[in-house]
């Protein structure tokens, strides 16, 4: 019988999911973290966004220039101002795929919740996720921590 990594649970890593309550409004979070398309200010793995085709809106494409030297093309989707943004990539014919999702939910007049998830998948992407689990988890948590810090600092101004 032929072995298929796509159908083996041994090659699947669940998305890394983190969340935090933030002393900032959804509008402040959006303006300080997403609208300026300067995501390197909160993503610890990102050196810069290159070749950005537009603002934070559905269909915008860009290159994530990573600190490790890799350049990963992403497309934004599910963008709802002050609420959500997804970013997706597929490399090498889909053997490496990644997807990040951010959801911002108001808690009360001055507090919000950020839910952030990131996942590597595809035959090779799943292996990379397992081998680099500590880095994937650390990068996702670090990104959330930076979103909280930037948003709370901006809310105080």
């Amino acid at each position: 019988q032929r072995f298929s990594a796509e159908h083996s649970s041994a090659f699947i890593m669940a998305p890394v999911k983190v969340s935090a309550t933030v002393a900032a409004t959804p509008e402040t979070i959006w303006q300080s973290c997403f609208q300026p398309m300067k995501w390197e200010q909160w993503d610890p793995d990102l050196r810069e966004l290159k070749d950005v085709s537009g603002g934070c809106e559905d269909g915008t494409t860009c290159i994530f220039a990573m600190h490790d030297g890799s350049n990963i093309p992403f497309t934004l989707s599910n963008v709802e101002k002050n609420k959500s943004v997804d970013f997706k990539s597929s490399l090498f014919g889909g053997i490496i795929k990644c997807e990040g999702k951010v959801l911002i939910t108001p808690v009360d007049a001055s507090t919000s919740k950020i839910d952030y998830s990131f996942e590597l998948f595809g035959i090779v992407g799943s292996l990379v996720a397992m081998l680099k689990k500590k880095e994937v988890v650390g990068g996702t948590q670090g990104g959330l921590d930076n979103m909280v810090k930037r948003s709370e600092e901006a809310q105080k101004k």
Side-chain angles (χ1 to χ4, degrees):
Q1 185 176 13
R2 209 171 105 176
F3 179 75
S4 173
E6 289 239 328
H7 297 97
S8 170
S9 61
F11 288 95
I12 297 172
M13 180 178 150
V16 176
K17 296 180 179 183
V18 293
S19 64
T21 301
V22 187
T25 65
E27 294 79 13
T28 299
I29 296 167
W30 193 261
Q31 288 299 320
S32 60
C33 297
F34 301 102
Q35 189 57 44
M37 293 301 288
K38 296 282 187 188
W39 294 16
E40 65 273 11
Q41 296 174 347
W42 61 263
D43 187 325
D45 298 318
L46 186 59
R47 187 173 37 83
E48 68 175 321
L49 288 182
K50 299 190 312 187
D51 301 329
V52 180
S53 70
C56 191
E57 55 196 35
D58 281 339
T60 293
T61 59
C62 58
I63 306 290
F64 281 33
M66 310 303 282
H67 286 294
D68 69 5
S70 59
N71 290 298
I72 305 169
F74 276 90
T75 302
L76 304 186
S77 62
N78 193 33
V79 179
E80 290 185 54
K81 185 177 179 181
N82 304 326
K83 185 176 180 182
S84 66
V85 61
D86 296 351
F87 49 99
K88 299 177 185 179
S89 184
S90 180
L91 302 167
F92 308 113
I95 63 172
I96 299 176
K97 297 179 183 179
C98 48
E99 180 175 33
K101 296 181 177 198
V102 178
L103 178 64
I104 305 164
T105 310
V107 174
D108 59 35
S110 61
T111 309
S112 304
K113 181 181 179 194
I114 301 174
D115 292 297
Y116 178 34
S117 67
F118 185 79
E119 179 178 22
L120 283 164
F121 54 103
I123 294 172
V124 175
S126 297
L127 290 172
V128 171
M130 289 188 324
L131 294 172
K132 298 284 190 175
K133 183 175 181 178
K134 181 178 178 183
E135 291 87 348
V136 173
V137 171
T140 306
Q141 184 64 56
L144 177 68
D145 293 345
N146 291 337
M147 285 183 230
V148 170
K149 182 179 179 189
R150 290 188 58 75
S151 299
E152 289 182 343
E153 287 173 356
Q155 190 69 45
K156 291 176 186 175
K157 290 180 181 180

